[in-house]
Amino acid sequence: MLEIYVDGDACPVKQEVLKVAERHNLTVYMVGNSWLRVGDTPLVKRIVVPEEPDAADDWIAEHIGKGDIAITSDIPLADRCLKNGAGVLGPTGKPFTEQSIGMALAMRDLKATLRETGEISGAGPSFSKRDRSNFLSALEESVQASKKQSRLAR
């Protein structure tokens, strides 16, 4: 059965994930290295991992499976989830796909190099209401597509 895995520490769309999960009665794993405050629903499983680099990413990558959905802005984690057969959405609603992940990884590395050399600074544009709305639509579409794929596979 479809489950949603959220890289939760810096996720700005937790409430949107819960809204879609409740509509479809889906289990959501909120993974982070501290206790995450989210709605009080039995659908949410809070997973607290050690405060070590990539501990949340490792937990998600080890548990996510084919047909599940990951919510993350972490590009290397997105790559690992795709390799496990999961769908992946960024918090702006932009999907990571097998076709786009290579370019996303390359751009991540390029931007890191440019930041290190002082050519650029900052983390990019701020999160907007439009991003939130786009995410909500994209997650609903992803859940519908995953459910349809699951029915066809039976």
Side-chain angles (χ1 to χ4, degrees), residues 130-149:
R130 183 174 188 84
D131 292 331
R132 193 172 302 281
S133 176
N134 289 343
F135 173 81
L136 194 55
S137 295
L139 181 56
E140 179 66 33
E141 289 173 17
S142 293
V143 167
Q144 294 287 349
S146 186
K147 284 182 156 185
K148 183 178 180 180
Q149 191 68 27

Side-chain angles (χ1 to χ4, degrees), residues 116-133:
E116 287 171 8
T117 61
E119 296 293 320
I120 63 171
S121 62
S126 63
F127 192 76
S128 70
K129 288 181 181 181
R130 183 174 188 84
D131 292 331
R132 193 172 302 281
S133 176

